[in-house]
Amino acid sequence: SAGKLDEFESIIFVTAVIREFVEFATRMLGWLAEQRPTVYYYSPTWYLNYLKFFKMHFTQSPFEYYEDDGLGRKGMSKAVVAGGHCPFWDVCMGTCPFEIKYSLPFIWLDYFFNSPETFETPLDPRTIKWNWKQKLWYSFWIIWVLAVAFFSLAIYYAPWSS
């Protein structure tokens, strides 16, 4: 038999529904703000930061590519590609159009912890350079994410686990 939804052993269905709801609510709130610009006046700063980053996904075309400029990015997309809720991966991949010094791999936190000036003016991502502290910061977080993923899978597939 096909089974019922509550018989599935995976939580992926629930997380996918939650994620899609958040995406839909975000787009609807953005649309509302565009229809009634006075909404921006009453919006908290973190939400305005978030909308600026989120809108960059739609203003930079994924079909525009870098020309040969000597920086090794010929043929790469100019688009912000990794997601509007968490700039961390865009920063790591070099596709973030804002100079976020220290990003976190958790949704929405960057919008709370960075000043509005960070999200004021989009930059060419190729011009953003990291110092050694930023390299250490992002190396730590990437290793942390990979370690959490590895240990989660190792525990899940362990003989004494599920």
Side-chain angles (χ1 to χ4, degrees), residues 135-154:
K135 290 177 183 176
L136 184 65
W137 173 267
Y138 289 110
S139 297
F140 166 77
W141 281 111
I142 289 171
I143 290 168
W144 183 84
V145 167
L146 292 174
V148 167
F150 174 79
F151 286 115
S152 297
L153 289 171

Side-chain angles (χ1 to χ4, degrees), residues 75-124:
M76 292 182 69
S77 172
K78 291 183 179 181
V80 182
V81 295
H85 302 295
C86 179
F88 178 80
W89 299 108
D90 278 311
V91 172
C92 289
M93 290 187 291
T95 59
C96 182
F98 301 106
E99 191 168 6
I100 300 174
K101 299 279 188 204
Y102 299 98
S103 184
L104 293 165
F106 306 103
I107 64 170
W108 296 313
L109 289 183
D110 291 333
Y111 309 116
F112 285 100
F113 295 129
N114 286 288
S115 68
E117 291 79 25
T118 303
F119 297 95
E120 275 304 310
T121 308
L123 305 169
D124 183 346

Side-chain angles (χ1 to χ4, degrees), residues 17-36:
V17 167
I18 291 170
R19 192 245 184 260
E20 290 305 317
F21 174 76
V22 168
E23 185 78 23
F24 177 74
T26 298
R27 290 180 186 224
M28 293 310 296
L29 285 172
W31 178 82
L32 171 68
E34 288 174 357
Q35 304 308 309
R36 303 270 184 187

Side-chain angles (χ1 to χ4, degrees), residues 61-76:
S61 172
F63 302 108
E64 293 179 25
Y65 301 98
Y66 289 116
E67 298 297 325
D68 189 12
D69 57 1
L71 297 174
R73 296 242 178 148
K74 181 181 179 185
M76 292 182 69

